[in-house]
Amino acid sequence: MSDTTDVIIGLEIHCQLNTKTKLFCGCSTDYKNDGPNTHVCPVCLGLPGAMPMINRKAVEYGLKVARALNLEIPEEGEFSRKNYFYPDLPKGYQITMYDRPLAVKGYLEIEADDGTDKKVEITRIHLEEDPGKLVHVGGTARAHYTLVDYNRSGIPLIEIVTEPDLRSPKEARRFLTKLRATLEYLGVFDGEREGALRVDANISIRGSERVEIKNITSYKGVEKALTFEITRQKGMIRRGGKVVRETRHFQEARGITTSARSKETETDYRYFPEPDLCPLRVRDWAKEVVLPELPDARRDRFMAQYGISLNHARTLTGDLRLAEFYEALAAKTDPVLAATWTADTLLGELNYRDMPVTKVPLDHFADLVTLAGKDVITDRVAVDVLRTLLDAVMKGETPEMPGDYVRTQNLGKGDADAFAVVIDEVIAENEQAVADFRTGKNVALNFLVGQVMKKTRGKADPKEITPLIAARIAPEGGK
Amino acid sequence: MGKITFDAEDRWNAFVTLCRKAEHGDGPLAGVPVAVKDNISTAGIQTTCGSAILKDYVPPYDAYVVERLKAAGAAIVGKTNMDEFGMGTTTESSAFGPTTNPVDPTRVPGGSSGGSAAAVAAGMVDMALGTDTGGSIRCPAAFCGIVGLKPTYGRTSRYGLIAYANSLEGIGPMGRTVEDVSRLFAVIAGHDPRDATSLDRPYNHTPSAEIRGMRIGVPLEFFGEGVDPAVGKTVRAAIERFTDLGAEVVECSMPSMKYALAAYYVTCTSEASSNLARFDGVRYGPANDIIPSWHESYQEHRKTHFGKEVRRRIMLGTFALSAGYYGKYYAKAQAARQNVRDDFARLFADVDVVAGPTMPTTAFRLGEKTDPLSMYLADILTVPANLAGVPAISVPCGTVDGLPVGLQLIGRHCEEERIIDAAYAFEGVRA
Ligand SMILES: [Zn+2]
């Protein structure tokens, strides 16, 4: 059996929709900078007598997602009550959708592990309200009491459930990245927001019981948790043991999953239709929803419009902010070079600094790409200038325009003749290397080129100076 | 704008909270003392639902109907006693003690809006708000000899009404006369966007006794088993008076009545089991001693502070909704409910008003109904209107052994005007 095809993964993803107000009341969702219990009202506090009022924007956002993920939209969707007791749940039930969700049966296309396109089936999507948040004063284990913050109570969530179509942790990660991009393109989700995404993952090895990992809160976490589970489950099977059907928790800090130790009796949520809300006429409503350009369409357009490669186009459209940055950049400089510099160099530098692309000063970067493109500076100098630029931004300084910086620092690519003196110096200082080259050791030439680069602080273009050096030290009568 | 002093003596325990000094504004009800049932939220005034679990709960906001009362200038003089969370037909299950019937203090006032009915019947106030889930306005109106209107579902907003059974209940007016009830209804009816089930059907009708040509249907089932013959006779005699008023009285049948009570009790207990989940001790009611685990603390709190009938209904509803039983109970109840709606639709294609007794008997003795099932059976004539969401009014139509009997008039969806006219016309000839 191959190592990947016998792994079966399905995901349940909860995303906070970025509406301005909560799902069933007028409270603002922008509570990040405010104290606990400041964005609350009778409805989201679940005060006796308060009644839910549907936020039409949230439904519209949900329908956008439904359309973008190619789901079938029924004539009506309906909210139900999911009854359970928990201290963060102010009404003793959560308003969610049960047997009449917003939409069913769709798919999202991703790149499979073998590089082919793959449709991951979406079972259903529905809307529901987020509960409040418990704050254990002094840590979970030792807290003497727990506080409840209802700012989060009533934040609209969309739950997206996939079929068990994913075959590896990497595929799961790619699915989530693509999903996030899609939601961000739709303008319904802000992936940067803390707690915006929560994932439950079902995973099994073919022929064995299924394990559910609850409440993973990051993209990386999903990949890690699944990788850990595969190792754990396969190890167990290899040793002749049996995987038990259970719920496990992911311990983010330790990178492991642990048994929730709950008796695996199914909780009875006693669902029934929410009598305080009317069914939503979603099919007709969805017809009015206008979709923006989505990642795949934008990828294809980038290739056609800017003449860039599939790989670059895929990378650049994989994140909304990056795609927008690239389009703005392509308007200011050569699009192909812009793609290369953004995808192959800038992204790596940003990852290294954990810096969002939105912080990159566009004009500066465009100037830099243009300088590199016009051969004014070498690629190596260009990378150095970029690093200086990004470091300055990180420090909150206003960076100099790369053109000015190159001029004042005298980093421009010199004329080949101007390096003759340096080349002579290097040859004189490295007799051994010269001798090695003459006896046929070509690596010695690279060493000499490196020395020249060092002395010129990278301004010399290796492509140009390599033949010059070779000619100067070639054996007498050489070719 | 002004202030009134409300100094009526409450010998019937009609009120849980009295507001002796009540402010009021200007408007059609300027300075009129109005009593409000204690499951309707009043900002700054304790709202208990007749339950120990909500003792000292002071809502920070007004229910829609209270906003409307205030806008009309009414003076809210107190919060009236009720069966705990509306679960009862006698007002005996209140944590604040039973209310007695002003007509005969050895009798119950009916329920669950027994405090409101008693306050009106005793002359403490001219009008009061009640709520009706399965007869909770009409039953005490009948038992206390006053007028009570259960509006069309949605014609008054439920925003701020502490929910017992959302799909069945509504807020309605109670008063000594049909005119008062009509006046109060005009104030509280209307659209409220905060209640998704609220209808945009305001009411501004002046009662008229002109009902010639009205067709009144009398279902045989309303005089069936369990209906006290003396009550039946009084009501039949009352209905005959409509002929004198130029209306036409016809016999009809409502076969769906057979399952109405079961459908009602499954639906209301199911919804109640969910609505009352929020009273877990985290936010409302007296604080618990420290108990190690939160779910034990929930159990303890709910066991201690909910009354027996409330706990019984929560358990019934929890059972009816549980996996494996949902189809057998809740889903079936909804089907039976549809039958009741269909029955009314069929009847109302032929008649304008359906008439019968409000209650099968006169007021019970205090403490008489010890077995819950016999109490539930008393709701048989009132629940059909709630199941179908149609309006119904109870108007006094005589007495049996000195105890009031109520005539119930049920109308088409949003045709309160018609049953109010019929009740008003009857009131004129009742003598
Ligand atoms: Zn709110």
Side-chain angles (χ1 to χ4, degrees), chain B residues 186-385:
Chain B
V187 168
I188 60 170
H191 182 243
D192 174 13
R194 292 168 303 178
D195 172 357
T197 64
S198 157
L199 303 171
D200 192 6
R201 294 296 294 263
Y203 171 90
N204 42 31
H205 179 66
T206 308
S208 153
E210 177 48 64
I211 59 161
R212 264 177 296 180
M214 187 182 273
R215 280 175 65 80
I216 296 176
V218 183
L220 294 169
E221 291 80 359
F222 274 70
F223 296 88
E225 200 190 333
V227 178
D228 179 340
V231 168
K233 208 174 136 202
T234 309
V235 172
R236 277 207 182 275
I239 294 173
E240 281 313 307
R241 304 301 302 271
F242 282 100
T243 332
D244 310 338
L245 290 163
E248 196 182 341
V249 176
V250 294
E251 298 267 310
C252 60
S253 170
M254 246 199 104
S256 63
M257 288 277 286
K258 203 169 163 194
Y259 300 108
L261 203 62
Y264 170 76
Y265 272 96
V266 168
T267 305
C268 75
T269 55
S270 295
E271 292 178 8
S273 72
S274 172
N275 288 325
L276 270 52
R278 75 191 68 195
F279 304 112
D280 53 20
V282 174
R283 290 160 300 261
Y284 314 101
N288 262 329
D289 288 339
I290 307 258
I291 289 176
S293 75
W294 61 264
H295 46 272
E296 280 168 32
S297 145
Y298 278 26
Q299 277 173 13
E300 189 59 31
H301 185 79
R302 292 165 67 81
K303 196 165 74 190
T304 313
H305 301 296
F306 276 140
K308 199 170 165 190
E309 182 60 24
V310 171
R311 277 181 282 139
R312 177 182 293 122
R313 293 198 193 189
I314 289 173
M315 282 190 279
L316 282 172
T318 302
F319 175 75
L321 286 177
S322 54
Y325 294 97
Y326 181 90
K328 206 169 163 189
Y329 294 103
Y330 191 81
K332 237 187 193 139
Q334 303 321 302
R337 195 169 172 178
Q338 188 56 47
N339 287 345
V340 176
R341 281 195 203 106
D342 294 346
D343 250 2
F344 273 119
R346 182 179 51 77
L347 289 181
F348 284 132
D350 181 40
V351 301
D352 301 305
V353 170
V354 168
T358 303
M359 295 300 290
T361 64
T362 53
F364 324 130
R365 272 188 194 78
L366 283 161
E368 178 185 332
K369 294 282 176 192
T370 47
D371 135 55
L373 196 60
S374 78
M375 190 174 75
Y376 298 171
L377 286 171
D379 297 337
I380 178 68
L381 305 178
T382 46
V383 298

Side-chain angles (χ1 to χ4, degrees), chain A residues 46 48-49 81 83 90 150 268 276, chain B residues 61 158 160 274-275 278 283 323:
Chain A
R81 290 187 184 179
N83 294 287
Y150 295 105
D268 186 353
D276 283 341
Chain B
Y61 74 104
R158 287 183 290 120
S274 172
N275 288 325
R278 75 191 68 195
R283 290 160 300 261

